[in-house]
Amino acid sequence: MKIIIDKQQYEELEELAYIFEIVRFSEEEKVQCFDFMKEIVDSGYDIKNIPKEVKEKMRIQMIDAFEWIESLPFKVKYKDEFLSYFNPDSE
């Protein structure tokens, strides 16, 4: 399955990737889930080929990122949809 999103969703994904280019949760951990998702969308990569462990890591990181960003005056419209792509139990 490929991730196919519309223009508005892609714009929000780009905004999130941009925000988290400079934001880190700790000294070592860069927030890469949005860049990762953007690369998948841009390349048309089949998400069935992503290992379960990677999906799980990206999902956990995305949940943490959404919690942080929602504490700011920033509304995420496509949160549930973005999270659904990294459900480690989905095919």
Side-chain angles (χ1 to χ4, degrees):
M1 178 176 92
K2 295 180 182 178
I3 298 176
I4 299 171
I5 58 178
D6 64 28
K7 183 180 177 185
Q8 289 176 328
Q9 293 166 325
Y10 191 80
E11 287 173 358
E12 182 167 281
L13 180 59
E14 283 184 315
E15 288 174 10
L16 290 165
Y18 176 75
I19 289 167
F20 287 101
E21 273 182 31
I22 56 172
V23 173
R24 293 177 187 239
F25 291 137
S26 69
E27 292 275 330
E28 304 89 35
E29 186 179 2
K30 180 178 188 262
V31 178
Q32 58 188 349
C33 54
F34 300 110
D35 281 333
F36 184 66
M37 184 174 167
K38 190 172 171 300
E39 286 177 28
I40 292 169
V41 170
D42 291 344
S43 69
Y45 190 77
D46 190 335
I47 61 174
K48 284 196 266 184
N49 297 325
I50 300 171
K52 185 176 181 174
E53 302 81 36
V54 174
K55 283 184 180 179
E56 191 171 297
K57 180 182 177 185
M58 291 298 108
R59 184 177 174 83
I60 289 168
Q61 191 178 75
M62 196 176 278
I63 289 168
D64 290 343
F66 282 137
E67 285 179 7
W68 179 81
I69 205 157
E70 288 175 338
S71 71
L72 305 172
F74 187 87
K75 175 79 170 129
V76 181
K77 291 172 75 175
Y78 303 105
K79 172 184 173 180
D80 293 333
E81 188 167 343
F82 291 166
L83 284 169
S84 73
Y85 294 120
F86 293 111
N87 183 346
D89 298 323
S90 68
E91 297 258 339

XYZ file of all heavy atoms in Angstrom:
784
model
N 0.845 -1.171 0.000
C 0.000 0.000 0.000
C 0.899 1.245 0.000
O 1.828 1.361 0.781
C -0.897 0.001 1.236
C -1.778 1.229 1.326
S -2.923 1.189 2.711
C -1.954 2.030 3.942
N 0.583 2.151 -0.867
C 1.308 3.419 -0.933
C 0.504 4.484 -0.196
O -0.716 4.402 -0.111
C 1.522 3.833 -2.377
C 2.425 2.884 -3.121
C 2.622 3.304 -4.541
C 3.500 2.270 -5.227
N 3.709 2.563 -6.616
N 1.205 5.457 0.334
C 0.539 6.570 1.003
C 0.193 7.600 -0.065
O 1.079 8.156 -0.700
C 1.439 7.208 2.075
C 1.779 6.192 3.153
C 0.758 8.438 2.671
C 2.749 6.719 4.211
N -1.087 7.823 -0.234
C -1.552 8.821 -1.188
C -2.337 9.867 -0.404
O -3.342 9.546 0.239
C -2.431 8.187 -2.281
C -1.609 7.147 -3.037
C -2.980 9.255 -3.222
C -2.401 6.296 -4.000
N -1.837 11.093 -0.431
C -2.487 12.161 0.310
C -2.776 13.325 -0.634
O -2.115 13.484 -1.659
C -1.648 12.614 1.524
C -0.250 13.090 1.114
C -1.530 11.482 2.542
C 0.604 13.593 2.267
N -3.767 14.130 -0.247
C -4.114 15.271 -1.083
C -3.196 16.460 -0.783
O -2.329 16.387 0.101
C -5.597 15.640 -0.947
C -5.989 16.114 0.441
O -5.136 16.675 1.168
O -7.157 15.943 0.804
N -3.396 17.545 -1.495
C -2.525 18.715 -1.392
C -2.521 19.304 0.017
O -1.467 19.663 0.543
C -2.961 19.775 -2.416
C -2.075 20.990 -2.437
C -2.531 22.008 -3.452
C -1.631 23.234 -3.374
N -2.065 24.303 -4.238
N -3.694 19.405 0.645
C -3.775 19.978 1.993
C -3.035 19.107 3.004
O -2.335 19.612 3.882
C -5.231 20.150 2.416
C -5.940 21.254 1.659
C -7.411 21.318 2.039
O -8.036 20.311 2.348
N -7.963 22.521 2.004
N -3.191 17.799 2.885
C -2.493 16.882 3.777
C -0.981 16.991 3.575
O -0.215 17.001 4.535
C -2.948 15.449 3.539
C -4.384 15.214 3.932
C -4.929 13.912 3.386
O -4.576 13.495 2.281
N -5.785 13.260 4.148
N -0.567 17.082 2.317
C 0.858 17.195 2.017
C 1.429 18.494 2.578
O 2.529 18.506 3.138
C 1.105 17.095 0.511
C 2.562 16.930 0.169
C 3.177 15.676 0.265
C 3.336 18.010 -0.235
C 4.519 15.521 -0.038
C 4.684 17.867 -0.532
C 5.267 16.612 -0.436
O 6.605 16.461 -0.718
N 0.670 19.571 2.468
C 1.128 20.851 3.019
C 1.292 20.769 4.533
O 2.257 21.285 5.088
C 0.162 21.973 2.638
C 0.259 22.372 1.172
C -0.815 23.361 0.734
O -1.691 23.732 1.551
O -0.784 23.749 -0.451
N 0.348 20.111 5.208
C 0.478 19.955 6.651
C 1.683 19.081 6.988
O 2.437 19.381 7.922
C -0.786 19.350 7.253
C -0.690 19.228 8.770
C -2.017 18.921 9.414
O -2.821 19.856 9.584
O -2.237 17.738 9.755
N 1.896 18.034 6.222
C 3.058 17.170 6.427
C 4.353 17.959 6.255
O 5.281 17.835 7.065
C 3.015 15.988 5.455
C 4.165 14.996 5.538
C 4.255 14.375 6.925
C 3.991 13.914 4.472
N 4.418 18.805 5.244
C 5.592 19.652 5.038
C 5.806 20.609 6.212
O 6.944 20.808 6.647
C 5.458 20.464 3.743
C 5.720 19.675 2.493
C 5.682 20.543 1.245
O 4.749 21.373 1.102
O 6.586 20.387 0.420
N 4.733 21.184 6.716
C 4.836 22.095 7.865
C 5.375 21.360 9.088
O 6.248 21.866 9.799
C 3.474 22.703 8.203
C 2.987 23.736 7.218
C 1.565 24.213 7.517
O 1.024 23.889 8.598
O 0.990 24.891 6.657
N 4.858 20.171 9.325
C 5.323 19.389 10.466
C 6.789 19.006 10.311
O 7.571 19.105 11.259
C 4.451 18.141 10.638
C 3.019 18.405 11.107
C 2.148 17.186 10.886
C 3.010 18.838 12.567
N 7.175 18.596 9.120
C 8.581 18.243 8.868
C 9.472 19.459 9.103
O 10.547 19.343 9.708
C 8.745 17.706 7.450
N 9.028 20.622 8.658
C 9.806 21.848 8.835
C 9.964 22.195 10.317
O 11.061 22.506 10.780
C 9.153 23.007 8.082
C 9.861 24.319 8.296
C 11.068 24.585 7.658
C 9.347 25.276 9.158
C 11.746 25.782 7.880
C 10.000 26.475 9.375
C 11.197 26.722 8.731
O 11.865 27.898 8.957
N 8.864 22.139 11.057
C 8.901 22.460 12.485
C 9.901 21.558 13.204
O 10.702 22.010 14.012
C 7.504 22.322 13.127
C 6.589 23.460 12.651
C 7.588 22.308 14.658
C 5.126 23.256 12.973
N 9.862 20.275 12.869
C 10.700 19.330 13.592
C 12.102 19.178 13.005
O 12.877 18.352 13.472
C 9.989 17.984 13.727
C 8.869 18.052 14.727
C 7.559 18.176 14.316
C 9.145 18.041 16.088
C 6.535 18.267 15.245
C 8.124 18.135 17.019
C 6.816 18.243 16.597
N 12.446 20.002 12.033
C 13.833 20.038 11.580
C 14.730 20.544 12.698
O 15.874 20.128 12.811
C 13.995 20.986 10.376
C 13.736 20.358 9.055
C 13.974 21.345 7.913
O 14.827 22.249 8.035
O 13.286 21.207 6.899
N 14.205 21.463 13.504
C 15.025 22.077 14.550
C 14.649 21.627 15.960
O 15.412 21.825 16.885
C 14.956 23.620 14.463
C 13.519 24.104 14.524
C 15.650 24.119 13.216
C 13.365 25.609 14.636
N 13.488 21.018 16.122
C 13.030 20.595 17.443
C 13.506 19.165 17.710
O 13.368 18.297 16.860
C 11.485 20.649 17.538
C 10.997 20.049 18.842
C 10.990 22.070 17.389
N 14.065 18.968 18.888
C 14.472 17.631 19.323
C 13.868 17.387 20.692
O 13.753 18.301 21.488
C 15.989 17.517 19.402
C 16.636 17.611 18.056
C 18.137 17.564 18.187
N 18.730 17.818 16.891
C 19.535 16.972 16.282
N 19.861 15.851 16.848
N 20.024 17.256 15.102
N 13.532 16.136 20.968
C 12.984 15.802 22.276
C 14.085 15.627 23.306
O 13.876 15.780 24.483
C 12.145 14.526 22.212
C 10.865 14.710 21.439
C 10.443 13.755 20.556
C 10.080 15.830 21.595
C 9.272 13.908 19.847
C 8.906 15.997 20.888
C 8.504 15.032 20.014
N 15.256 15.302 22.840
C 16.416 15.186 23.719
C 17.648 15.528 22.890
O 17.550 15.749 21.686
C 16.526 13.766 24.282
O 16.864 12.858 23.262
N 18.778 15.538 23.518
C 20.026 15.875 22.820
C 20.291 14.926 21.652
O 20.777 15.326 20.614
C 21.202 15.826 23.801
C 21.162 16.904 24.846
C 21.768 18.194 24.360
O 22.664 18.178 23.521
O 21.311 19.252 24.838
N 19.980 13.647 21.831
C 20.320 12.650 20.823
C 19.227 12.386 19.791
O 19.506 11.948 18.691
C 20.656 11.309 21.485
C 21.751 11.351 22.502
C 21.238 11.647 23.913
O 20.140 11.207 24.254
O 21.943 12.341 24.648
N 17.990 12.586 20.144
C 16.897 12.127 19.301
C 16.325 13.226 18.414
O 15.661 14.145 18.883
C 15.775 11.536 20.162
C 14.674 10.918 19.330
C 13.571 10.308 20.170
O 13.628 10.394 21.400
O 12.652 9.755 19.571
N 16.554 13.090 17.132
C 15.951 13.993 16.153
C 14.575 13.443 15.790
O 14.399 12.243 15.641
C 16.829 14.066 14.899
C 16.272 14.988 13.841
C 17.194 15.071 12.638
C 16.710 16.132 11.689
N 15.933 15.657 10.595
N 13.605 14.318 15.661
C 12.264 13.903 15.259
C 12.293 13.694 13.749
O 12.399 14.642 12.983
C 11.208 14.962 15.654
C 9.827 14.551 15.188
C 11.227 15.194 17.155
N 12.230 12.445 13.345
C 12.367 12.125 11.934
C 11.115 11.527 11.308
O 11.064 11.311 10.100
C 13.544 11.177 11.738
C 13.426 9.900 12.519
C 14.683 9.068 12.452
O 15.582 9.339 11.675
N 14.742 8.036 13.263
N 10.061 11.316 12.099
C 8.876 10.632 11.592
C 8.213 11.377 10.434
O 7.738 10.740 9.480
C 7.880 10.378 12.713
S 7.399 11.842 13.653
N 8.188 12.697 10.473
C 7.522 13.447 9.407
C 8.375 13.487 8.141
O 7.847 13.374 7.035
C 7.145 14.848 9.887
C 6.205 14.808 11.064
C 6.634 15.201 12.324
C 4.905 14.340 10.924
C 5.792 15.140 13.420
C 4.052 14.273 12.018
C 4.487 14.671 13.267
N 9.682 13.620 8.303
C 10.572 13.529 7.140
C 10.476 12.145 6.505
O 10.448 12.004 5.290
C 12.037 13.783 7.534
C 12.351 15.250 7.709
O 11.683 16.086 7.077
O 13.270 15.562 8.491
N 10.435 11.127 7.356
C 10.326 9.747 6.884
C 9.041 9.557 6.083
O 9.055 9.007 4.983
C 10.380 8.802 8.089
C 10.368 7.346 7.750
C 11.424 6.767 7.076
C 9.309 6.547 8.122
C 11.429 5.414 6.776
C 9.289 5.194 7.835
C 10.355 4.621 7.154
N 7.939 10.043 6.621
C 6.660 9.913 5.928
C 6.679 10.684 4.614
O 6.182 10.208 3.588
C 5.517 10.394 6.810
C 4.167 10.184 6.180
S 2.854 10.600 7.345
C 1.483 10.630 6.218
N 7.258 11.870 4.616
C 7.338 12.681 3.403
C 8.155 11.959 2.330
O 7.775 11.942 1.160
C 7.946 14.045 3.733
C 7.851 15.051 2.619
C 8.296 16.417 3.143
C 8.442 17.410 2.042
N 9.388 17.098 1.017
N 9.257 11.334 2.712
C 10.069 10.568 1.761
C 9.273 9.410 1.168
O 9.378 9.125 -0.030
C 11.323 10.027 2.448
C 12.373 11.068 2.717
C 13.574 10.506 3.464
O 13.868 9.301 3.322
O 14.216 11.276 4.190
N 8.473 8.757 2.008
C 7.646 7.637 1.538
C 6.621 8.128 0.530
O 6.419 7.521 -0.520
C 6.956 6.937 2.726
C 8.008 6.228 3.582
C 5.901 5.958 2.248
C 7.482 5.742 4.915
N 5.969 9.244 0.849
C 4.965 9.815 -0.063
C 5.628 10.220 -1.381
O 5.137 9.888 -2.460
C 4.250 11.029 0.585
C 3.390 11.762 -0.432
C 3.410 10.583 1.771
N 6.750 10.932 -1.285
C 7.435 11.423 -2.488
C 7.933 10.296 -3.382
O 7.906 10.414 -4.607
C 8.613 12.329 -2.107
C 8.167 13.653 -1.498
O 6.981 14.021 -1.641
O 9.019 14.318 -0.874
N 8.381 9.209 -2.781
C 8.950 8.113 -3.571
C 7.916 7.088 -4.020
O 8.193 6.269 -4.892
C 10.039 7.398 -2.769
O 9.470 6.692 -1.673
N 6.740 7.110 -3.395
C 5.716 6.122 -3.733
C 6.041 4.748 -3.168
O 5.572 3.732 -3.664
N 6.831 4.708 -2.102
C 7.267 3.457 -1.486
C 6.077 2.723 -0.869
O 5.200 3.337 -0.259
C 8.321 3.757 -0.414
C 9.012 2.545 0.136
C 10.008 1.913 -0.590
C 8.673 2.034 1.380
C 10.658 0.799 -0.083
C 9.315 0.922 1.896
C 10.307 0.308 1.161
O 10.937 -0.800 1.656
N 6.044 1.419 -1.000
C 4.984 0.585 -0.439
C 5.242 0.399 1.052
O 6.246 -0.197 1.443
C 4.955 -0.766 -1.149
C 3.741 -1.594 -0.786
O 3.173 -1.399 0.311
O 3.351 -2.450 -1.590
N 4.329 0.882 1.894
C 4.548 0.823 3.338
C 4.465 -0.604 3.884
O 4.870 -0.843 5.020
C 3.627 1.789 4.122
C 2.158 1.468 3.917
C 3.940 3.218 3.771
C 1.231 2.311 4.787
N 3.976 -1.555 3.106
C 3.991 -2.953 3.538
C 5.424 -3.455 3.686
O 5.672 -4.408 4.408
C 3.236 -3.842 2.549
C 1.733 -3.729 2.642
C 1.074 -4.883 1.941
C 0.737 -4.508 0.528
N 0.006 -5.555 -0.185
N 6.354 -2.805 3.007
C 7.759 -3.235 3.053
C 8.538 -2.626 4.212
O 9.716 -2.922 4.376
C 8.455 -2.888 1.733
C 7.846 -3.634 0.560
O 7.417 -4.770 0.701
N 7.788 -2.986 -0.577
N 7.892 -1.794 4.993
C 8.560 -1.193 6.154
C 8.477 -2.186 7.310
O 7.392 -2.656 7.647
C 7.898 0.142 6.558
C 7.969 1.145 5.407
C 8.545 0.713 7.814
C 7.160 2.399 5.634
N 9.605 -2.518 7.920
C 9.580 -3.459 9.047
C 8.689 -2.967 10.184
O 8.589 -1.770 10.445
C 11.046 -3.532 9.498
C 11.843 -3.058 8.324
C 10.965 -2.075 7.602
N 8.073 -3.906 10.857
C 7.159 -3.609 11.969
C 7.831 -2.740 13.026
O 7.227 -1.811 13.559
C 6.661 -4.917 12.576
C 5.626 -4.755 13.645
C 5.125 -6.101 14.130
C 4.062 -5.908 15.192
N 3.450 -7.162 15.602
N 9.106 -3.021 13.326
C 9.826 -2.272 14.353
C 9.983 -0.800 13.958
O 9.914 0.089 14.800
C 11.219 -2.870 14.596
C 11.218 -4.316 15.020
C 11.068 -5.291 13.852
O 11.602 -5.053 12.748
O 10.388 -6.304 14.048
N 10.220 -0.559 12.681
C 10.376 0.810 12.195
C 9.039 1.544 12.270
O 8.968 2.692 12.713
C 10.948 0.848 10.761
C 10.967 2.266 10.205
C 12.349 0.236 10.734
N 7.967 0.874 11.856
C 6.636 1.480 11.947
C 6.320 1.847 13.392
O 5.812 2.935 13.674
C 5.562 0.522 11.434
C 5.476 0.403 9.940
C 4.308 -0.497 9.583
C 4.167 -0.671 8.106
N 3.038 -1.560 7.775
N 6.634 0.933 14.293
C 6.345 1.167 15.702
C 7.147 2.362 16.229
O 6.606 3.221 16.932
C 6.685 -0.086 16.504
C 6.196 -0.048 17.924
C 6.372 -1.397 18.602
O 5.744 -2.372 18.141
O 7.133 -1.456 19.577
N 8.419 2.438 15.878
C 9.254 3.553 16.324
C 8.732 4.879 15.777
O 8.639 5.876 16.497
C 10.699 3.347 15.871
C 11.605 4.477 16.300
C 13.018 4.283 15.814
C 13.840 5.496 16.221
N 15.173 5.470 15.709
N 8.369 4.903 14.490
C 7.859 6.130 13.879
C 6.527 6.528 14.495
O 6.272 7.705 14.731
C 7.706 5.963 12.362
C 9.018 5.840 11.609
S 10.072 7.307 11.746
C 11.365 6.699 12.834
N 5.673 5.555 14.786
C 4.367 5.846 15.393
C 4.544 6.444 16.795
O 3.899 7.429 17.142
C 3.514 4.586 15.436
C 2.112 4.824 15.966
C 1.290 3.544 15.913
N 0.015 3.702 16.534
C -1.068 4.217 15.967
N -1.007 4.619 14.718
N -2.200 4.324 16.619
N 5.413 5.848 17.595
C 5.658 6.355 18.949
C 6.217 7.769 18.886
O 5.784 8.659 19.616
C 6.596 5.411 19.727
C 5.861 4.121 20.059
C 7.128 6.073 20.992
C 6.752 3.003 20.561
N 7.163 7.983 17.991
C 7.740 9.315 17.848
C 6.683 10.318 17.379
O 6.642 11.454 17.849
C 8.912 9.270 16.866
C 9.721 10.544 16.883
C 10.901 10.470 15.954
O 10.718 10.571 14.741
N 12.092 10.292 16.506
N 5.808 9.889 16.475
C 4.759 10.768 15.962
C 3.763 11.122 17.065
O 3.336 12.275 17.174
C 4.051 10.101 14.775
C 3.230 11.040 13.941
S 2.509 10.244 12.469
C 3.896 10.312 11.338
N 3.412 10.157 17.897
C 2.496 10.421 19.018
C 3.107 11.462 19.947
O 2.448 12.424 20.343
C 2.164 9.118 19.775
C 1.261 8.225 18.915
C 1.509 9.421 21.130
C 1.100 6.807 19.445
N 4.388 11.284 20.284
C 5.075 12.257 21.142
C 5.119 13.641 20.491
O 4.909 14.657 21.150
C 6.500 11.795 21.449
C 6.547 10.596 22.377
O 5.529 10.304 23.039
O 7.619 9.946 22.435
N 5.391 13.674 19.194
C 5.464 14.950 18.475
C 4.098 15.639 18.460
O 4.011 16.850 18.675
C 5.958 14.718 17.044
N 3.041 14.868 18.233
C 1.699 15.454 18.225
C 1.326 15.984 19.613
O 0.723 17.047 19.728
C 0.659 14.445 17.750
C 0.637 14.248 16.260
C 0.519 12.974 15.722
C 0.727 15.316 15.382
C 0.490 12.782 14.360
C 0.702 15.135 14.008
C 0.584 13.859 13.495
N 1.682 15.249 20.663
C 1.394 15.729 22.021
C 2.086 17.060 22.275
O 1.489 17.979 22.840
C 1.834 14.697 23.059
C 0.913 13.514 23.153
C 1.383 12.483 24.166
O 2.368 12.734 24.903
O 0.758 11.419 24.227
N 3.341 17.158 21.855
C 4.085 18.398 22.070
C 3.486 19.549 21.258
O 3.242 20.624 21.779
C 5.561 18.197 21.693
C 6.354 19.451 21.877
C 6.867 19.928 23.043
C 6.699 20.400 20.868
N 7.516 21.118 22.818
C 7.428 21.436 21.487
C 6.469 20.481 19.505
C 7.923 22.531 20.787
C 6.965 21.571 18.803
C 7.685 22.576 19.446
N 3.235 19.296 19.985
C 2.776 20.385 19.115
C 1.361 20.830 19.467
O 1.021 21.997 19.311
C 2.917 20.021 17.627
C 3.030 21.302 16.810
C 1.779 19.167 17.127
C 3.695 21.142 15.486
N 0.542 19.915 19.979
C -0.814 20.296 20.365
C -0.833 21.113 21.656
O -1.852 21.706 21.988
C -1.696 19.059 20.470
C -2.016 18.495 19.091
C -2.790 17.194 19.128
O -2.759 16.482 20.148
O -3.423 16.890 18.106
N 0.283 21.141 22.376
C 0.372 22.005 23.556
C 0.620 23.459 23.140
O 0.529 24.361 23.957
C 1.488 21.526 24.490
O 2.768 21.784 23.937
N 0.930 23.667 21.879
C 1.131 25.001 21.305
C -0.131 25.402 20.553
O -1.003 24.574 20.313
C 2.320 24.971 20.331
C 3.644 24.452 20.883
C 4.642 24.301 19.756
C 4.166 25.375 21.952
N -0.227 26.640 20.122
C -1.405 27.034 19.339
C -1.296 26.572 17.880
O -1.262 27.358 16.948
C -1.413 28.564 19.459
C 0.003 28.934 19.703
C 0.609 27.795 20.463
N -1.197 25.269 17.690
C -1.068 24.692 16.358
C -2.053 23.547 16.251
O -2.047 22.637 17.068
C 0.364 24.169 16.141
C 0.653 23.710 14.741
C 1.095 24.611 13.783
C 0.478 22.391 14.377
C 1.368 24.194 12.489
C 0.738 21.970 13.087
C 1.194 22.870 12.144
N -2.913 23.602 15.271
C -3.935 22.580 15.076
C -3.476 21.605 14.001
O -3.100 22.010 12.902
C -5.250 23.249 14.649
C -6.351 22.295 14.305
C -7.015 21.746 15.545
C -8.266 20.989 15.153
N -8.380 19.690 15.686
N -3.480 20.318 14.337
C -3.118 19.275 13.384
C -4.408 18.642 12.886
O -5.129 17.997 13.644
C -2.208 18.209 14.034
C -1.834 17.145 13.026
C -0.968 18.847 14.628
N -4.706 18.825 11.625
C -5.962 18.327 11.058
C -5.903 16.841 10.721
O -6.909 16.145 10.808
C -6.317 19.102 9.785
C -6.711 20.546 10.031
C -6.869 21.324 8.746
C -8.140 20.974 8.032
N -8.364 21.817 6.843
N -4.752 16.351 10.326
C -4.667 14.995 9.775
C -3.923 14.028 10.689
O -3.377 13.029 10.240
C -4.019 15.047 8.387
C -4.782 15.960 7.457
C -4.295 17.218 7.122
C -6.020 15.580 6.958
C -5.011 18.064 6.293
C -6.743 16.431 6.135
C -6.234 17.668 5.807
O -6.953 18.506 4.990
N -3.926 14.306 11.968
C -3.211 13.498 12.952
C -3.581 12.014 12.866
O -2.706 11.159 12.732
C -3.514 14.031 14.350
C -2.998 13.191 15.478
C -3.448 13.763 16.812
C -3.102 12.862 17.961
N -3.540 13.429 19.237
N -4.859 11.701 12.939
C -5.289 10.299 12.941
C -4.907 9.584 11.654
O -4.476 8.426 11.680
C -6.796 10.192 13.180
C -7.187 10.643 14.585
O -6.346 10.554 15.502
O -8.332 11.094 14.760
N -5.041 10.264 10.548
C -4.688 9.657 9.269
C -3.182 9.397 9.199
O -2.751 8.325 8.791
C -5.121 10.553 8.116
C -4.943 9.890 6.776
C -5.644 10.640 5.668
O -6.511 11.479 5.936
O -5.299 10.369 4.516
N -2.381 10.380 9.607
C -0.927 10.206 9.585
C -0.515 9.044 10.486
O 0.319 8.226 10.120
C -0.212 11.484 10.007
C -0.310 12.626 9.020
C 0.029 13.904 9.404
C -0.734 12.431 7.716
C -0.031 14.968 8.508
C -0.817 13.482 6.809
C -0.465 14.756 7.206
N -1.106 8.960 11.677
C -0.784 7.868 12.597
C -1.168 6.505 12.031
O -0.464 5.523 12.254
C -1.486 8.082 13.943
C -0.883 9.124 14.869
C -1.820 9.419 16.028
C 0.471 8.672 15.379
N -2.252 6.450 11.305
C -2.736 5.167 10.787
C -1.733 4.513 9.832
O -1.676 3.292 9.727
C -4.086 5.338 10.092
O -3.940 6.004 8.844
N -0.927 5.302 9.157
C 0.033 4.742 8.212
C 1.157 3.986 8.906
O 1.816 3.153 8.289
C 0.627 5.837 7.324
C -0.387 6.466 6.411
C -0.661 7.828 6.495
C -1.090 5.712 5.482
C -1.602 8.419 5.656
C -2.038 6.291 4.654
C -2.279 7.645 4.748
O -3.211 8.222 3.921
N 1.384 4.268 10.183
C 2.465 3.614 10.908
C 1.956 2.647 11.974
O 2.647 2.342 12.938
C 3.404 4.642 11.523
C 4.150 5.411 10.476
C 3.897 6.748 10.271
C 5.062 4.798 9.655
C 4.571 7.464 9.289
C 5.740 5.492 8.669
C 5.489 6.822 8.480
N 0.745 2.151 11.778
C 0.222 1.128 12.670
C 1.034 -0.144 12.416
O 0.975 -0.698 11.331
C -1.255 0.892 12.397
C -1.870 -0.110 13.345
O -1.168 -0.831 14.045
N -3.187 -0.160 13.353
N 1.804 -0.606 13.409
C 2.671 -1.759 13.175
C 1.912 -3.056 12.894
O 2.476 -3.993 12.331
C 3.487 -1.872 14.464
C 2.758 -1.099 15.473
C 1.934 -0.075 14.754
N 0.628 -3.103 13.228
C -0.157 -4.314 13.005
C -0.873 -4.327 11.662
O -1.485 -5.310 11.289
C -1.177 -4.495 14.127
C -0.498 -4.671 15.467
O 0.565 -5.329 15.503
O -1.010 -4.138 16.466
N -0.803 -3.213 10.935
C -1.499 -3.150 9.643
C -0.620 -3.734 8.549
O 0.591 -3.787 8.652
C -1.876 -1.710 9.287
O -0.721 -0.958 9.027
N -1.258 -4.177 7.526
C -0.532 -4.736 6.383
C -0.365 -3.671 5.401
O -0.595 -3.179 4.572
C -1.293 -5.936 5.821
C -1.390 -7.046 6.837
C -0.402 -8.157 6.583
O 0.087 -8.300 5.468
O -0.119 -8.871 7.513
